[in-house]
Amino acid sequence: MGPPLRILLILCTAGALAEVQLDPQMATVLRGANATFNCSVDQQWVVMIWLLNGNVVLTVTKDYGILSNDPRFTALNYSTDTLSIWEINILGVKRTDMGEVTCDVQNIQKVNAQLSVQVSGTVHITDINKTATHGELAYFQCSALGWYPAPIISWTEGGSLASADSYNISILPVGQDLFDSTSTLGIVASNSISVTCLAAVPALTTPLASSAFLTVEAQPQYINLTVVIAVTVTVGAVLLLAIIIIIVVCCYCQRKNSTHSRYEDEMRKAQRDRGQGADNLGYSADSRAGAANGQLNDSVASQSASINGLPIPNAVRPHDADSPGNLYAQHSGMKKARYATIV
């Protein structure tokens, strides 16, 4: 409320109230700002004394005006013919100024008001630029340090006030009756957006703000590992089965070829033997040759007979025993056989 309006209000109420008035009854200012109070009286007065927390800071007399040596405290006269109005200004308010302000009109009345001094600290978002994948929950942390009283924290998302359920606030008292506050905002990354942390106290007309930006990236297409493992196992099993089948077939073919090769070798050997003919020691071209080889033939025949266990029947006629070229001969009661292979 400006001084003219405040003075007008005092003038309107002074007629009904024949006493000293102090306005405002409660002043809230930021540290370093100026505080203003107005003291009015509708009677004849001589001395007006201003006190801050019981200490005299300014004296005003009706005849001589302001009597003060402290440049932090000044006074302005807005008096009229019917009402005396003096305004006191406290320049560069300190935390130690907080308390009671008194206007004491000597021999008339003493009235009190309250001065509240608040402190505006700092506000800062830790990560001013953050990147998140679509659908991911992104977090922003805001720190408000050195405030009195504890600051009021709020957030905006894309210019709109964020729901109180989307962030938390913690307050920690620090030295010199100050407070530090931290707040964490959780936001689902759906599209790129700016976020702002706001901190304020009642004496602060416009909240202090710190902004950050969230960049949202498309979600990567992950390969389903379950499908990959299943396909790999299946392909591996098929390849292993194919390898086993190939090995079995190769072994079978190799064995078959080996057997066939042995058979062919034996057949070729037999054909070669038939082509060359086999020596028969029991064959002679004439009787003398037969007589010369009779002993060997007898041995062969004897071995054949003993192996087979069967006697060879006597098929030789008596008159053929001495004939030339005979195939059978009788010797010592044994039947002897000569074998001839004719090719």
Side-chain angles (χ1 to χ4, degrees):
M1 182 182 298
L5 183 60
R6 188 179 297 118
I7 293 170
L8 181 60
L9 180 62
I10 294 172
L11 290 174
C12 293
T13 59
L17 300 175
E19 60 183 13
V20 177
Q21 286 190 339
L22 183 59
D23 179 64
Q25 289 294 302
M26 179 67 184
T28 301
V29 296
L30 288 175
R31 182 179 62 183
N34 299 334
T36 301
F37 292 89
N38 288 281
C39 187
S40 61
V41 58
D42 60 352
Q43 298 180 14
Q44 293 296 321
W45 59 279
V46 178
V47 178
M48 179 183 293
I49 300 175
W50 289 89
L51 300 93
L52 180 60
N53 291 324
N55 299 314
V56 177
V57 294
L58 185 67
T59 301
V60 179
T61 64
K62 187 174 180 62
D63 296 334
Y64 300 103
I66 303 170
L67 302 176
S68 174
N69 295 322
D70 192 338
R72 291 184 60 234
F73 300 91
T74 62
L76 294 175
N77 187 6
Y78 292 101
S79 300
T80 64
D81 294 338
T82 59
L83 186 65
S84 295
I85 303 173
W86 283 87
E87 179 185 86
I88 184 174
N89 294 302
I90 306 173
L91 307 179
V93 174
K94 302 176 182 179
R95 285 292 309 280
T96 55
D97 295 335
M98 184 170 60
E100 187 177 67
V101 176
T102 303
C103 178
D104 183 6
V105 180
Q106 296 289 300
N107 301 321
I108 297 178
Q109 190 178 5
K110 180 169 63 176
V111 292
N112 299 319
Q114 295 295 320
L115 172 62
S116 175
V117 180
Q118 298 184 353
V119 179
S120 173
T122 61
V123 60
H124 175 68
I125 295 179
T126 304
D127 297 324
I128 60 174
N129 292 307
K130 187 180 289 290
T131 301
T133 304
H134 188 277
E136 182 182 5
L137 188 60
Y139 293 96
F140 291 91
Q141 187 176 50
C142 176
S143 299
L145 307 178
W147 292 73
Y148 181 86
I152 302 169
I153 303 294
S154 60
W155 290 82
T156 61
E157 301 174 6
S160 300
L161 192 63
S163 171
D165 297 334
S166 63
Y167 59 89
N168 58 20
I169 300 173
S170 61
I171 301 173
L172 179 66
V174 293
Q176 299 181 352
D177 298 329
L178 299 179
F179 295 90
D180 291 345
S181 296
T182 59
S183 178
T184 301
L185 171 70
I187 180 173
V188 178
S190 57
N191 57 306
S192 298
I193 193 173
S194 63
V195 296
T196 302
C197 176
L198 303 172
V201 290
L204 190 61
T205 306
T206 303
L208 298 185
S210 177
S211 299
F213 194 80
L214 174 64
T215 302
V216 179
E217 296 180 344
Q219 188 173 12
Q221 300 297 325
Y222 294 103
I223 299 175
N224 193 329
L225 293 180
T226 304
V227 175
V228 173
I229 293 174
V231 171
T232 303
V233 171
T234 302
V235 173
V238 171
L239 291 177
L240 180 60
L241 180 61
I243 292 173
I244 293 174
I245 293 174
I246 292 173
I247 293 175
V248 171
V249 171
C250 290
C251 292
Y252 173 77
C253 293
Q254 185 177 5
R255 184 175 180 183
K256 183 176 179 182
N257 292 335
S258 178
T259 304
H260 183 68
S261 177
R262 286 200 304 271
Y263 175 75
E264 288 182 348
D265 290 343
E266 292 177 358
M267 289 298 296
R268 283 195 295 268
K269 183 177 180 182
Q271 291 176 1
R272 187 170 59 252
D273 291 342
R274 285 196 299 270
Q276 294 175 357
D279 293 336
N280 189 343
L281 299 178
Y283 173 78
S284 62
D286 49 30
S287 59
R288 287 190 300 272
N293 295 326
Q295 186 176 358
L296 180 60
N297 291 333
D298 289 342
S299 176
V300 173
S302 176
Q303 292 177 2
S304 299
S306 63
I307 292 173
N308 295 329
L310 296 174
I312 299 175
N314 187 7
V316 179
R317 291 191 298 273
H319 61 274
D320 294 334
D322 298 327
S323 57
N326 63 321
L327 297 176
Y328 296 92
Q330 182 174 6
H331 180 73
S332 300
M334 295 291 293
K335 284 73 175 179
K336 303 177 181 63
R338 294 190 182 94
Y339 296 93
T341 299
I342 302 173
V343 179

